[in-house]
Amino acid sequence: MESRVLSGATIRGLALPPKPAARITGNCSLPAVRLTGKLGDGGSLIWGRQLRPAILLEASPISPVTKRESIRPCAAASSPAEGSDSAGGAKVGFLEKYPFLLTGFFFFMWYFLNVIFNILNKKIYNYFPYPYFVSVIHLFVGVIYCLGSWSVGLPKRAPIDSNLLKLLIPVAVCHALGHVTSNVSFAAVAVSFTHTVKALEPFFNAAASQFILGQQIPLTLWLSLAPVVIGVSMASLTELSFNWLGFVSAMISNISFTYRSIYSKKAMTDMDSTNLYAYISIIALIVCIPPAIILEGPQLLKHGFNDAIAKVGLTKFITDLFWVGMFYHLYNQLATNTLERVAPLTHAVGNVLKRVFVIGFSILVFGNKISLQTGIGTSIAIAGVAMYSLIKAKIEEEKRQAKAA
């Protein structure tokens, strides 16, 4: 339905004379109104949609009323032979009618791709233990995917300037460091243990928020983190695959991703998440290439590639590297798209369940033997993360409602 300006107003300097009230048929009531202010003062009129910023409508002197009235759409008369579109109402699709089904599908694909990535990634390390090179492959395949998507306009590439680039570089550097150290940990210890140690990430986030950003963290949040620390400590003491390289690398990954969150807040931009992640991936790839060449290049050329090809064959080796990179990029992109669709509380629950899924499936697939104390410690740590996430989500929701009020 068209929006109509029913009284004189100034639009971009053009004065519109008042028009007589038009004859309206159908069951509707349309009060005479006038615009307060000018559209040129910051308002923008979108035909058939809402007015942004909101343009206040008040009753005109012709028909004085005490309350502000809203324009209600007219019920247009139509014959039974005409469809619902001709009556002014658009047909509602199945997914629009049941949006939770689409959100559930996004969650399922996020978990599915994440689990497949972790399993395939660990299988590659079992015959090709070069995490720096594999990290480069993860980002390289993702960058190729982004460039291909940009070339066909899905999505359309967002422009970037030097100022935005300066803001994104620290984010990408922390992303690269966190990604590489995570892979070093995956290659050194069991996947389940790495994810258990990475459950400490909320603790580092809380510490950075209070001591670096100066944000006051409630006592309840700090208390909810105690089980996380205790649980990770219990799991680490009796983990059968424990070694210091895997543990320290996972801790460095936690710190790196914490600083990534800090720099991300400073680099807030209107760019959509898909384009933003693409630019971060490109910068992170450039950062990861030199360490891979320096630390693993000589070994790869001497025997690394030959040993891997001798074990699994050239075709499987190349396809494994391609698919692990594709799964890495897709699960990260789907995670971002999924979390944009849900409330903070659902976001928190989703993140915790994702870690539970990854730990559980990795134990089943690889048959990792864990001690009773490790199992108890892991459970306590995950429960602590869940408690922290729920409390934090509730606090964020209360802040959002307070701002809206």
Side-chain angles (χ1 to χ4, degrees):
M1 179 184 295
E2 286 187 347
S3 301
R4 299 181 184 274
V5 179
L6 302 178
S7 63
T10 301
I11 302 180
R12 297 183 180 176
L14 178 63
L16 299 178
K19 294 183 179 180
R23 183 179 180 183
I24 301 174
T25 61
N27 298 324
C28 65
S29 61
L30 188 62
V33 295
R34 64 180 178 85
L35 289 170
T36 62
K38 299 179 180 180
L39 293 180
D41 295 336
S44 60
L45 184 61
I46 303 178
W47 294 100
R49 299 183 182 179
Q50 61 184 351
L51 303 177
R52 298 182 180 178
I55 300 177
L56 300 180
L57 297 172
E58 298 177 348
S60 69
I62 300 175
S63 176
V65 292
T66 56
K67 292 184 179 181
R68 185 175 299 162
E69 297 182 58
S70 60
I71 299 177
R72 295 185 179 181
C74 302
S78 60
S79 63
E82 293 176 346
S84 60
D85 290 343
S86 62
K91 293 182 179 179
V92 179
F94 181 77
L95 292 179
E96 293 178 351
K97 189 176 181 181
Y98 303 101
F100 68 91
L101 293 178
L102 183 59
T103 302
F105 175 76
F106 270 77
F107 267 103
F108 170 77
M109 291 304 299
W110 173 27
Y111 289 3
F112 174 75
L113 293 175
N114 197 339
V115 169
I116 296 299
F117 162 74
N118 279 277
I119 292 173
L120 182 57
N121 201 44
K122 184 61 178 180
K123 286 184 175 181
I124 290 175
Y125 288 135
N126 287 338
Y127 68 84
F128 187 70
Y130 298 95
Y132 289 89
F133 178 80
V134 174
S135 298
V136 170
I137 294 299
H138 291 165
L139 295 170
F140 177 75
V141 174
V143 168
I144 296 300
Y145 176 87
C146 293
L147 295 178
S149 300
W150 280 342
S151 66
V152 296
L154 295 173
K156 184 178 180 181
R157 186 182 70 85
I160 188 171
D161 55 24
S162 58
N163 292 328
L164 182 57
L165 185 62
K166 291 178 182 178
L167 292 175
L168 292 183
I169 286 177
V171 180
V173 171
C174 293
H175 177 70
L177 181 59
H179 178 53
V180 170
T181 50
S182 292
N183 278 286
V184 171
S185 181
F186 286 140
V189 295
V191 174
S192 57
F193 178 65
T194 298
H195 279 279
T196 302
V197 177
K198 286 174 69 65
L200 282 172
E201 190 173 329
F203 174 82
F204 289 96
N205 284 332
S209 297
Q210 177 147 346
F211 300 113
I212 298 179
L213 297 180
Q215 300 175 356
Q216 188 63 33
I217 303 298
L219 180 61
T220 53
L221 274 182
W222 284 114
L223 292 177
S224 68
L225 288 170
V228 182
V229 178
I230 295 173
V232 172
S233 300
M234 289 179 60
S236 300
L237 289 174
T238 56
E239 170 60 36
L240 300 179
S241 67
F242 177 88
N243 65 57
W244 283 107
L245 176 62
F247 178 79
V248 173
S249 297
M251 294 293 284
I252 294 175
S253 176
N254 286 333
I255 298 173
S256 301
F257 286 139
T258 296
Y259 275 94
R260 183 185 65 178
S261 300
I262 294 174
Y263 287 118
S264 295
K265 292 180 181 179
K266 296 181 179 180
M268 286 298 181
T269 174
D270 293 333
M271 186 183 298
D272 64 279
S273 60
T274 303
N275 274 289
L276 192 64
Y277 183 69
Y279 282 118
I280 290 175
S281 297
I282 293 173
I283 301 172
L285 174 62
I286 297 173
V287 173
C288 289
I289 289 176
I293 294 176
I294 295 172
L295 297 176
E296 295 179 345
Q299 297 178 2
L300 289 172
L301 294 176
K302 186 177 181 180
H303 57 80
F305 291 126
N306 293 331
D307 290 347
I309 294 172
K311 291 178 180 177
V312 298
L314 179 61
T315 302
K316 180 173 173 55
F317 178 54
I318 294 177
T319 54
D320 280 354
L321 291 178
F322 169 78
W323 283 115
V324 76
M326 184 60 69
F327 283 127
Y328 171 77
H329 180 81
L330 291 178
Y331 103 73
N332 275 285
Q333 183 171 303
L334 264 175
T336 304
N337 297 337
T338 302
L339 299 180
E340 284 181 342
R341 299 177 57 87
V342 298
L345 182 60
T346 309
H347 173 180
V349 175
N351 265 325
V352 175
L353 289 179
K354 181 210 71 173
R355 202 172 296 280
V356 173
F357 266 77
V358 172
I359 292 175
F361 274 97
S362 65
I363 292 174
L364 291 176
V365 171
F366 296 106
N368 297 330
K369 294 181 179 180
I370 59 174
S371 65
L372 178 61
Q373 182 173 327
T374 298
I376 295 175
T378 301
S379 301
I380 293 175
I382 296 300
V385 173
M387 189 186 307
Y388 167 85
S389 300
L390 294 176
I391 294 174
K392 184 178 180 182
K394 184 179 179 180
I395 293 174
E396 293 296 327
E397 183 66 18
E398 291 175 352
K399 289 181 179 178
R400 187 189 65 79
Q401 292 178 355
K403 289 182 180 180

